Amino acid sequence: MQAVFFTLVWMVCYWFCLPVYAVGDSPMVNWPKSTIEGAIDFHIHSSPDVIPRRLDDFEVAKLAARAKMKAVVLKNHYASTAARAVLVNKIVPEIEVFGGVVLNHSVGGINPEAVGAMHRIGGKYGKVVWLPTVDAEHHLQVFHKSGIGIKVAENGKVLPETAAVLKMVAKENLILETGHISSEEVMAVVGEANLLNIKNILITHAMADVPGLSLENMQAAAAAGAFLELAFVNDLMGENAADEAHKNWHQVSITKMAAAIKLIGAEHFVMSTDLGRKPDPLPAEGYKLFVEKLINEGISPHEIDLMTKHNPALLLGI
């Protein structure tokens, strides 16, 4: 009888106590009380990827769910993350996971067909269209890299292929992110997006080397209705960066980010981490640190809520 009893206990625990996930357990993190409960991280890099990443898609979602976050957005410079997001939502239903496509050379550059396929495959979870990042002409110039760069605008006007992508973004009510294009291109894109009545615009890590917006540019973009992304990873960059590739970037300190928030207003910003490389903190841990550091710089809890919850939720429509 005793053996039967223990067998039954084992079977109950097997079926009802163990988490059901598609990949192995993610690293354990102790969350005494989540300072990012209900928050959304709009910018996480996960594996599978060309670049080694610390976590896979499922692990990212599981850690974010454990921190009681509301949603995350998966980004990949070389392939669409829309289908991946659909699968993660089925396996980790405690949190919403969104994806999109970056218009680099690997998907045909400024390619409306890539945008359409991403959204059809991802449905409501295929939401974000990033303009070129690592293949943008501006990115190659800033970091002294060879290759044929992609431009999206010239002389203050968007190129025809860019206009075609923007029209699809407007038609499907997607989110337009500016990627690593130049500040001049950013302003041209924001202007054209307004003409097309694109409602959801986010300037990718606005204060970083790429796009390298000035405070005046940021104010103008915000006045035109665009949100400005602040990414925690930019504070970890510079000559002391743990990741070798990030030593080529200039640091954007938390102090500088806080000053921009105070000048322009938290209602115009979205906080994200842009984490994923192996030497850097886990995304959810990094998000907590980001919040704590901004609070230490005098950013109020209400302002934090705007940038971590309200504004990104508006963009995602959740």
Side-chain angles (χ1 to χ4, degrees), residues 239-260:
E239 58 183 18
N240 296 319
D243 187 87
E244 195 64 32
H246 287 166
K247 292 181 179 181
N248 297 325
W249 296 61
H250 290 96
Q251 182 196 35
V252 182
S253 69
I254 300 294
T255 300
K256 287 181 181 177
M257 294 187 204

Side-chain angles (χ1 to χ4, degrees), residues 19-78:
V20 182
Y21 291 116
V23 287
D25 273 343
S26 55
M28 293 298 294
V29 178
N30 293 319
W31 303 103
K33 185 176 187 302
S34 179
T35 56
I36 54 172
E37 184 171 343
I40 297 168
D41 191 341
F42 231 94
H43 196 152
I44 298 178
H45 291 277
S46 51
S47 64
D49 198 356
V50 172
I51 299 165
R53 299 297 181 185
R54 188 165 178 187
L55 301 175
D56 63 37
D57 299 341
F58 298 98
E59 290 169 329
V60 165
K62 288 158 66 178
L63 280 179
R66 195 171 295 157
K68 299 183 179 178
M69 294 176 67
K70 185 179 180 70
V72 295
V73 178
L74 304 177
K75 181 179 180 183
N76 188 292
H77 292 297
Y78 303 99

Side-chain angles (χ1 to χ4, degrees), residues 48 96 172 237 241 245 268:
E96 289 197 273
E172 301 296 341
M237 292 176 165
H268 299 295

Side-chain angles (χ1 to χ4, degrees), residues 292-312:
E292 291 162 5
K293 286 174 178 284
L294 282 174
I295 288 174
N296 289 338
E297 291 287 341
I299 303 302
S300 72
H302 171 67
E303 291 171 315
I304 295 292
D305 279 353
L306 281 174
M307 298 184 291
T308 61
K309 301 174 186 177
H310 182 266
N311 297 343

Side-chain angles (χ1 to χ4, degrees), residues 9 35 39 96-97 101 132 142 172 208 222 226 262 267:
V9 169
T35 56
E96 289 197 273
V97 179
V101 65
V142 167
E172 301 296 341
K262 292 171 185 177
E267 64 272 20

